[in-house]
Amino acid sequence: MISQASSPITLTEPEQIQPRNMSDLIVDYLEQLGVEYVFGIPGGHNSAFYEALARSERRGGVRAVLTCHETGAAFMADGYARETGKIGVCCGTTGPGSTNFITGLASAYAEGIPLLVITAQTALPNFSWSAFQESSPDTIDTVAMFKHCTRYNSLVTHPNQLERKLAAALTTVLHSPFGPAHLSIPVNIFRVESPSSLAYPQVATQAAALVDLKALDELDSTINNILDQGQTIAIWVGQDCRKATPEIMALAELINASIVTTQGGKTCVNPYHPLVKGVFGFAGHQTARQALTDDSVALILAAGMNLGQWETSAWDQKLLTKKIVHIHHARDYFKSSPMASLHIQGTIKTTLAELLKRLQKTRQRGQLKPELSASLSPEFYQPYQPAHITVKEPDSYRLSEDNSPVKPQQLIGELLQHFPPETRYLVDVGNWLAWTIHYFFPPRPENFRLAVATAPMGWGIGSAIGTAMGAKNTPVVCLTGDGCFLMHGNELAVAVAEKLPIIFIILNDQSFGMVKHRHLQTGVEPLEFALPSVDFSQIARGMGANGYIIRNSQDLQELDYEAIYRDGKPTVLDVRIDSEYVPPIGMF
């Protein structure tokens, strides 16, 4: 008979019987950078890392967030990184646990989002022996698969490499050009005993600001000459100008320059400022086209963009001329602008700030006397739509009084009317992209987010969850479609488990609507785009969320919006729209 005293419980605590291992070391570095969550799914090959996360959670440190799919985990890490400015971290096991990350990493790579993805790897002694889910260079080679969608990508083949390679990965993603880093770590290395202290306690957390002073001197002289001759300048803002908003606005006001944005650049400037003329290109505005192509424009400052198809209205040759001065933090993007009269590589915020200083000195000498074309008074803030940006069907925001299906513009009007300014909006790929680019003018544009570089369907669903994890007690709205939700709606279970009151607004047209409407404009043969009729409100309730079907304006008006976003669980609005109502998917 064994007495109670013979086996005290305290001796079974893992922290007391297990030495710290390399998995704990990885967690230490994440804590040093302020990371709160690791999104992903455990497996046999990465269980040691998840055990370290469990120990970390018990002491109030980094914790694991269990997702339904690795692609969703990458999207969540993306949303968390955008919201917090920290590195987004995701982790998966070998084989399909690793390959499922590729879509999310490709999107983050194209969007310049700092992610760290950790994947497990077959034990080193078992390479080439067809081990379970083997992912080594001798078989499916996951490291090779990640080569073109990461900024740093390495297989750890010895315990002594791990800390150096981890430090290199973290440093890489925090410096230009930004993007994901990948470490493939064999299962046996995860469990090797770790050093007693960090070798790199001051791992770089912020890149130094870079400025090309010689190029700026040339640009300063050019701008002075243009303005002295009575010509005008336009500022074209891309998504990589996220941190440069104050400098952009001050520069535009100083030289009375019109401001036009790309689709992603829409997040960087206040659309209610009278110098902002809207979006150029896909789903854009005629006022933006006029602002960039007017004969009086002698110079276009194109900052933070890659000059891709959507941004340039399919490479419009009227726009892509020597008038362009291309400013970017990464030299890679200059290959898209061989026609530019000047390339300026440097930190965009610092570059524009230095340009502003030079022009302000010129203005003080009286050579420049710019005046704003309109007042900056609050009267220019109008419900839903700025007066100085033209949209198609400007009266379509108003709710109809009949039983006709709700229009996406009407949903946008309701959101702007009923949700507070701090609300985060994650726009998924599909019809919502066109509707929001053209019609949605949030008072705080930095809270409007989309992923248009590779445009992966379902990005908004995972990204909304990562955003909500980083923006606690703040309303988060995911604008998605039935096609996206059928692909990645399973991640709603994560929002329920984490008690995140996200509002998922699904445009339900029972089809892959954006693809359908574009094919009807350009295609020859009829194709199949129909999706089955699905009641997403029932799916939501079955997963523990709130669910509503919206068929008309009356259903929309009966919603208690404040109660929905203050609830302790997510809500799905299944909005039945007219499948034949064409979104503004042309080039403008």
Side-chain angles (χ1 to χ4, degrees), residues 266-299:
K266 185 173 178 174
T267 68
C268 302
V269 298
N270 180 359
Y272 295 95
H273 191 293
L275 289 176
V276 177
K277 304 304 180 184
V279 176
F280 184 89
F282 174 81
H285 307 99
Q286 290 294 348
T287 41
R289 169 169 287 279
Q290 177 64 26
L292 287 186
T293 60
D294 191 273
D295 291 338
S296 68
V297 177
L299 190 71

Side-chain angles (χ1 to χ4, degrees), residues 310-583:
W310 277 18
E311 295 177 333
T312 62
S313 191
W315 306 286
D316 190 328
Q317 293 305 302
K318 185 172 177 59
L319 181 70
L320 299 180
T321 69
K322 64 181 181 180
K323 291 181 180 181
I324 287 180
V325 171
H326 196 180
I327 303 170
H328 210 286
H329 60 72
R331 186 178 298 275
D332 293 356
Y333 294 98
F334 295 149
K335 65 179 181 292
S336 301
S337 56
M339 77 298 294
S341 61
L342 184 63
H343 291 136
I344 302 180
Q345 183 184 7
T347 306
I348 296 172
K349 181 180 181 69
T350 309
T351 297
L352 295 180
E354 289 296 321
L355 177 61
L356 185 62
K357 286 181 183 179
R358 285 164 168 73
L359 291 172
Q360 285 171 333
K361 291 178 181 178
T362 309
R363 183 183 184 186
Q364 290 171 0
R365 294 199 301 268
Q367 294 180 18
L368 293 180
K369 297 181 180 179
E371 296 179 358
L372 285 176
S373 59
S375 167
L376 298 177
S377 64
E379 67 191 40
F380 276 87
Y381 181 91
Q382 298 183 10
Y384 314 145
Q385 182 212 338
H388 45 278
I389 298 176
T390 58
V391 299
K392 301 172 67 176
E393 299 184 70
D395 294 329
S396 59
Y397 289 100
R398 297 189 181 93
L399 288 175
S400 57
E401 297 181 358
D402 55 23
N403 289 324
S404 59
V406 174
K407 294 181 178 179
Q409 307 97 301
Q410 295 167 342
L411 284 166
I412 289 170
E414 288 292 289
L415 291 173
L416 292 174
Q417 179 180 347
H418 293 288
F419 282 76
E422 65 269 20
T423 301
R424 273 54 166 175
Y425 298 97
L426 288 301
V427 184
D428 221 331
V429 175
N431 279 340
W432 263 129
L433 268 184
W435 290 117
T436 55
I437 289 168
H438 193 78
Y439 285 101
F440 195 20
F441 301 100
R444 296 187 186 174
E446 68 275 12
N447 295 336
F448 169 81
R449 296 164 195 169
L450 63 172
V452 294
T454 60
M457 291 182 67
W459 169 88
I461 297 169
S463 189
I465 293 170
T467 299
M469 299 290 286
K472 300 174 180 65
N473 303 314
T474 303
V476 175
V477 175
C478 173
L479 304 174
T480 188
D482 50 345
C484 289
F485 210 81
L486 287 172
M487 286 188 184
H488 291 283
N490 52 351
E491 303 298 352
L492 176 63
V494 181
V496 172
E498 295 290 338
K499 298 181 173 60
L500 303 174
I502 303 169
I503 299 93
F504 296 89
I505 302 179
I506 301 173
L507 291 185
N508 188 348
D509 60 0
Q510 298 183 34
S511 68
F512 288 112
M514 183 175 175
V515 185
K516 179 185 77 173
H517 288 297
R518 187 58 179 158
H519 183 74
L520 290 175
Q521 292 177 346
T522 62
V524 177
E525 295 291 341
L527 302 179
E528 182 60 65
F529 302 104
L531 293 172
S533 177
V534 177
D535 185 338
F536 293 102
S537 69
Q538 284 195 30
I539 292 176
R541 289 192 289 269
M543 296 176 74
N546 299 314
Y548 303 90
I549 294 179
I550 307 298
R551 293 186 174 86
N552 50 47
S553 298
Q554 182 177 349
D555 290 341
L556 205 58
Q557 290 172 318
E558 291 175 355
L559 292 174
D560 186 339
Y561 294 95
E562 184 172 359
I564 287 174
Y565 68 71
R566 294 192 184 282
D567 198 344
K569 57 184 177 181
T571 296
V572 169
L573 302 183
D574 180 350
V575 185
R576 309 298 172 85
I577 65 169
D578 181 355
S579 63
E580 301 307 313
Y581 188 40
V582 182

